Amino acid sequence: MDHSKFPRLCAMAALTVALCALPAHAQDPAKAAGAPSMADFTRLQNEVREQRALIIQMMQNEQQRYDMLLKLIQSGGSGAMILPPSDASAAAPDRSGGAAAGKARPAAAPEPARRSFIEGKVSTSGGELGEVYVYVENLKTAPIRGKSIEIRQENKQFIPRLAVVQAGTSVVFPNFDTVYHNVFSSSPRNSFDLGSYRAGDKPRTVTLTTPGVVEIFCNMHQKMTADVLVVPNNLYTKVKPDGSFRLENVPVGARKLVAWSPNAKPAQAKVDVGASGAQATFVLEREGPKAHSNKLGQAYGSYRE
């Protein structure tokens, strides 16, 4: 094959393809139905101009391919060589406003949620409450995984008697007493029964998946009690001894706060968190100890301590 004729052959092929792509009335004006209007003539001029640019680009691409192939042949075919694409789609006029046809513009990265803080005060009526916590209730996140805490059974008591965890946390109950214990809870959506075991037996575990208060008892020893507050997110804090609190990294917007203590009725407050933060105050009413039944709903007294 005479390589000197290759560019001309490519140009002729490109010209033939381009002419075939023209509208029928542009190829043969005699076939047009009636005399063209000025708008038709202008549109035809634009189409011819675009096709001419496309043909020129195709010829340039084919010339590049020919030159590179010729160099590859002359060098004996050694080395790697990347050939330009043979089609001239890159030269086609862009009528999509800058985006390639059929391709969506890349989505803009979402802006990070603005965050602020909530601070305030918790007071009580009816005496000291002990530990008090404040948390954001109306902001749920996916349950956490792989986190656990330990509540020991020792000297016929739960240690600690109060814990706050995120939903998805596992609680391990090792028994350090020589007597049997049977840890259970009848709390809605977090009820469980770990059965009877004593020191030396493998500790038993429960995973708390639903936000709410979990009241924990022993089926054999009435005085053994513990409370676990399961919160829906990591936006919670322990109230300081002077009653003050501050929650950081709270997303801006309408938020529902809850102040909670095992010895009081929970209190709620709604705040609008803005860039300058938000304020909230609570008054908790103390409640006395509540009587509870065993896991069968019966009164204690069947077992000896």
Side-chain angles (χ1 to χ4, degrees), residues 175-233:
N175 188 351
F176 291 95
D177 289 335
T178 56
V179 298
Y180 283 95
H181 291 306
N182 182 176
V183 184
F184 79 97
S185 176
S186 299
S187 299
R189 298 180 295 177
N190 278 307
S191 61
F192 62 88
D193 181 359
L194 300 185
S196 300
Y197 59 102
R198 59 182 176 179
D201 293 341
K202 181 179 178 180
R204 300 183 184 177
T205 304
V206 62
T207 300
L208 304 176
T209 58
T210 306
V213 179
V214 184
E215 297 178 328
I216 300 171
F217 308 107
C218 173
N219 194 51
M220 301 177 182
H221 305 95
Q222 185 176 9
K223 294 181 180 180
M224 287 181 65
T225 64
D227 291 281
V228 176
L229 173 63
V230 184
V231 292
N233 50 63

Side-chain angles (χ1 to χ4, degrees), residues 68-83:
M68 298 178 73
L69 283 170
L70 185 60
K71 290 180 182 179
L72 182 62
I73 293 172
Q74 292 173 348
S75 65
S78 60
M81 188 172 292
I82 301 176
L83 299 179

Side-chain angles (χ1 to χ4, degrees), residues 46-283:
N46 292 335
E47 291 179 358
V48 172
R49 188 180 301 110
E50 293 174 358
Q51 293 293 343
R52 183 185 303 154
L54 181 62
I55 292 170
I56 293 173
Q57 182 62 51
M58 292 173 64
M59 292 174 63
Q60 291 175 348
N61 284 352
E62 294 302 333
Q63 182 64 48
Q64 292 177 10
R65 288 173 59 84
Y66 166 76
D67 292 340
M68 298 178 73
L69 283 170
L70 185 60
K71 290 180 182 179
L72 182 62
I73 293 172
Q74 292 173 348
S75 65
S78 60
M81 188 172 292
I82 301 176
L83 299 179
S86 60
D87 71 285
S89 59
D94 184 4
R95 296 170 179 165
S96 62
K103 294 183 179 179
R105 293 178 180 270
E111 295 183 3
R114 292 184 300 158
R115 294 179 177 271
S116 189
F117 64 91
I118 304 173
E119 61 184 9
K121 196 92 171 179
V122 179
S123 59
T124 64
S125 62
E128 296 294 329
L129 287 178
E131 293 185 59
V132 180
Y133 287 84
V134 174
Y135 65 95
V136 177
E137 184 180 66
N138 65 335
L139 190 64
K140 294 184 178 181
T141 58
I144 60 174
R145 298 179 181 275
K147 187 172 183 179
S148 64
I149 66 168
E150 182 180 277
I151 296 180
R152 305 189 307 277
Q153 301 166 83
E154 190 172 6
N155 297 323
K156 298 180 181 178
Q157 295 293 329
F158 288 114
I159 304 174
R161 299 185 65 173
L162 174 60
V164 181
V165 301
Q166 266 187 265
T169 302
S170 297
V171 184
V172 185
F173 293 90
N175 188 351
F176 291 95
D177 289 335
T178 56
V179 298
Y180 283 95
H181 291 306
N182 182 176
V183 184
F184 79 97
S185 176
S186 299
S187 299
R189 298 180 295 177
N190 278 307
S191 61
F192 62 88
D193 181 359
L194 300 185
S196 300
Y197 59 102
R198 59 182 176 179
D201 293 341
K202 181 179 178 180
R204 300 183 184 177
T205 304
V206 62
T207 300
L208 304 176
T209 58
T210 306
V213 179
V214 184
E215 297 178 328
I216 300 171
F217 308 107
C218 173
N219 194 51
M220 301 177 182
H221 305 95
Q222 185 176 9
K223 294 181 180 180
M224 287 181 65
T225 64
D227 291 281
V228 176
L229 173 63
V230 184
V231 292
N233 50 63
N234 63 350
L235 299 174
Y236 66 93
T237 187
K238 185 178 180 180
V239 176
K240 296 179 180 180
D242 65 355
S244 65
F245 70 89
R246 183 181 175 96
L247 278 168
E248 300 283 359
N249 296 318
V250 181
V252 299
R255 300 295 166 220
K256 181 180 178 181
L257 291 181
V258 178
W260 175 85
S261 171
N263 302 316
K265 182 180 179 180
Q268 300 179 354
K270 293 182 179 180
V271 296
D272 189 9
V273 182
S276 58
Q279 298 285 327
T281 58
F282 301 91
V283 178

